[in-house]
Amino acid sequence: MATDILDVAPSLALCGATVVVALDPPEVVAADVVLAGGRIAAVGTAPPGVPRRDCSGTLIVPGNVCAHHHLYSALSRGMPYRLAPPVTFTEILQRVWWRLDRALDERSIRASALRGGLDALRAGTTTIVDHHASPNAIDGSLDIIADTLAQLGVRSVLCYEVSDRDGPERAAAGIAENRRFLTRAGGLSRGMMGAHASFTLSDETLAEVVDVARSGGVGVHIHVAEDAADQADARARCGHGVVERLDRAGLLTDQALLAHCVHVAPAEIHAVADTGATVVCNPRSNMNNSVGHSPFHHLAPGLGGGVALGTDGIGGDLFAESQVGYFRTREAEVATPGNWPLARLADGARFAGGVHGEPLLGSIRPGAPADLVVLDYPTPTPVTADNLVGHWVFGLTSGQVRDVLVAGELVVADRRSTRVDETEVAAEGSGEAQRLWGRMDEIAAHGFTPERSRR
Ligand SMILES: [Zn+2]
């Protein structure tokens, strides 16, 4: 691949930066980054005659990957809440998210993807792995998100979260939407199979989800044991835990993406690790929902298919997520390995790179897709491979993001999108948010409970 790149004329050179070539293990060099054909052509000295962009005084890092996002929640920020305060995780779903998702229509899905995608890019996140739900606007919803993210220049991995909570027709429509999108995805977007969580899936629906994933050659993106309620439901349903239920259904493969895995026993941790599935920790969301702390934060090196980081819909800022996750992990275990944030982000890039057929995604090596972020970082101390994590945890913020490139295209330059008018995006988001909140006000708390669904 690298030799092919050398045949393409360089399009741009980012000059004079400190370059983080890789996160895990860290590699840092002072160099120019030369781009050609949407990829990294060289990390060294830019040849004469190539258009140059001055990056002196900056730190260039691989674009971050958000391995579990819900872009549909992008317009929820600050929304009014008038029901009784939820006191359990299931009530949070019934009273907040399962009302918001039913209020979504095509316009608000687009506005959410536009707002959420732009926020992620501006925060230095170049790939979003999204888990979408809009039970009253299922058909074509993934196309709306894919087209909107392509317009912004965001790389993505998309799926629709199949669930029985809104009845059999919508479960079937969700399966059909995933199946349809798997044949359509291309450019910067790829598809996966999506499923909500074990506790809202019947055996029949779960079997169909696995069947579509198998025939599409993809993995399943699903919430696993986010709350104890998921485990209690699996035990009541089939006499064993969530991990065994999903494994018996054939869902746990090395392409699977398992969000949360908070309430898992040691045997389940090993069972997940044995399959090579990727786990996504979402530390800020778990703390906000008071569901507990995933033992996968402390996964021993070498165990399993990787532990990535997601925001679970709390924006698209992986600098913030990796810092909070690190502090939460240190709080529980002061002997947390120092490279924790970098290793977690590298695992997310490895997963997304696998889906995109780009094994070098997440690095700035010749041949890698040119997904990278230029940070204005007036460092008080030298940045080296040995101390990179110290700068990452204690120094970097998304507010330093100056430029963002995806597939070699400058999609954010000097802190502004080059693709969309940010003032118009703000106006569209604000208008759609108010219409969405108005519709949501008319929707009652969801009547689904795991107990009722098992009857
Ligand atoms: Zn989630």
Side-chain angles (χ1 to χ4, degrees):
M1 188 176 285
T3 46
D4 296 339
I5 290 304
L6 296 177
D7 298 336
V8 180
S11 54
L12 183 67
L14 306 173
C15 295
T18 301
V19 181
V20 175
V21 173
L23 295 177
D24 182 35
E27 281 181 51
V28 178
V29 297
D32 305 330
V33 179
V34 183
L35 313 180
R39 296 180 181 277
I40 309 295
V43 180
T45 303
V50 179
R52 300 163 78 90
R53 188 167 177 81
D54 181 16
C55 292
S56 50
T58 72
L59 184 69
I60 299 183
V61 302
N64 283 329
V65 173
C66 179
H68 181 70
H69 201 337
H70 299 286
L71 285 167
Y72 71 77
S73 70
L75 301 182
S76 69
R77 196 180 305 170
M79 70 185 173
Y81 180 80
R82 300 182 223 283
L83 307 185
V87 294
T88 66
F89 174 70
T90 306
E91 285 177 358
I92 293 172
L93 296 178
Q94 292 165 332
R95 296 180 195 180
V96 182
W97 305 116
W98 293 348
R99 289 171 61 231
L100 176 77
D101 66 9
R102 284 178 291 157
L104 289 164
D105 60 11
E106 292 185 357
R107 282 177 60 177
S108 47
I109 293 168
R110 181 190 129 77
S112 300
L114 194 56
R115 180 74 262 171
L118 179 59
D119 286 352
L121 271 187
R122 292 283 305 275
T125 295
T126 51
T127 299
I128 293 174
V129 183
D130 194 60
H131 200 251
H132 176 67
S134 52
N136 291 321
I138 297 174
D139 185 33
S141 57
L142 297 180
D143 287 350
I144 295 172
I145 299 168
D147 292 347
T148 306
L149 295 181
Q151 181 190 359
L152 290 165
V154 183
R155 191 181 296 277
S156 64
V157 179
L158 307 180
C159 71
Y160 188 90
E161 59 156 64
V162 173
S163 171
D164 288 307
R165 69 177 181 265
D166 292 301
E169 292 83 12
R170 287 179 174 86
I175 289 168
E177 177 63 2
N178 281 300
R179 188 187 276 126
R180 189 190 61 72
F181 187 72
L182 283 174
T183 64
R184 185 266 183 195
L188 287 176
S189 74
R190 294 289 180 277
M192 283 187 77
M193 188 63 199
H196 172 245
S198 171
F199 74 96
T200 74
L201 292 165
S202 67
D203 288 345
E204 297 72 27
T205 304
L206 184 56
E208 227 179 313
V209 162
V210 172
D211 190 50
V212 173
R214 258 192 207 136
S215 55
V218 297
V220 180
H221 184 178
I222 184 171
H223 297 110
V224 177
E226 180 175 2
D227 183 74
D230 201 15
Q231 285 289 12
D233 172 75
R235 293 194 186 287
R237 222 180 255 276
C238 55
H240 43 251
V242 173
V243 169
E244 191 168 340
R245 180 172 189 234
L246 298 180
D247 199 18
R248 288 186 183 201
L251 187 146
L252 298 186
T253 68
D254 60 2
Q255 294 175 295
L257 190 62
L258 313 179
H260 301 296
C261 292
V262 173
H263 294 267
V264 285
E268 292 178 303
I269 295 171
H270 285 278
V272 167
D274 285 347
T275 64
T278 300
V279 171
V280 190
C281 291
N282 303 268
R284 290 186 299 176
S285 168
N286 292 163
M287 287 189 274
N288 184 52
N289 288 332
S290 196
V291 293
H293 179 64
S294 171
F296 278 91
H297 285 238
H298 307 276
L299 190 70
L303 180 66
V307 180
L309 287 176
T311 61
D312 205 19
I314 304 181
D317 185 345
L318 271 292
F319 292 106
E321 195 72 46
S322 61
Q323 289 162 356
V324 172
Y326 179 66
F327 293 134
R328 177 65 186 90
T329 305
R330 285 272 295 188
E331 182 185 46
E333 175 55 68
V334 75
T336 297
N339 70 339
W340 190 95
L342 306 178
R344 299 292 69 78
L345 291 166
D347 283 354
R350 191 175 305 124
F351 177 83
V355 176
H356 274 267
E358 295 284 2
L360 294 176
L361 191 78
S363 73
I364 305 182
R365 297 188 194 286
D371 291 13
L372 44 84
V373 177
V374 181
L375 298 154
D376 268 325
Y377 184 52
T379 177
T381 56
V383 180
T384 67
D386 289 338
N387 72 11
L388 176 64
V389 74
H391 288 274
W392 200 280
V393 171
F394 301 111
L396 300 189
T397 79
S398 59
Q400 296 154 345
V401 172
R402 187 190 84 179
D403 303 333
V404 180
L405 294 96
V406 177
E409 297 273 332
L410 198 57
V411 295
V412 171
D414 297 319
R415 302 170 186 270
R416 304 297 284 179
S417 171
T418 62
R419 299 292 193 83
V420 293
D421 181 323
E422 295 198 9
T423 308
E424 286 176 14
V425 172
E428 181 179 341
S430 182
E432 278 306 321
Q434 288 181 44
R435 283 187 281 277
L436 178 65
W437 297 353
R439 289 194 299 276
M440 195 176 157
D441 248 352
E442 305 297 313
I443 297 174
H446 205 297
F448 176 93
T449 66
E451 297 77 18
R452 217 170 292 164
S453 76
R454 293 194 301 267
R455 267 179 222 152

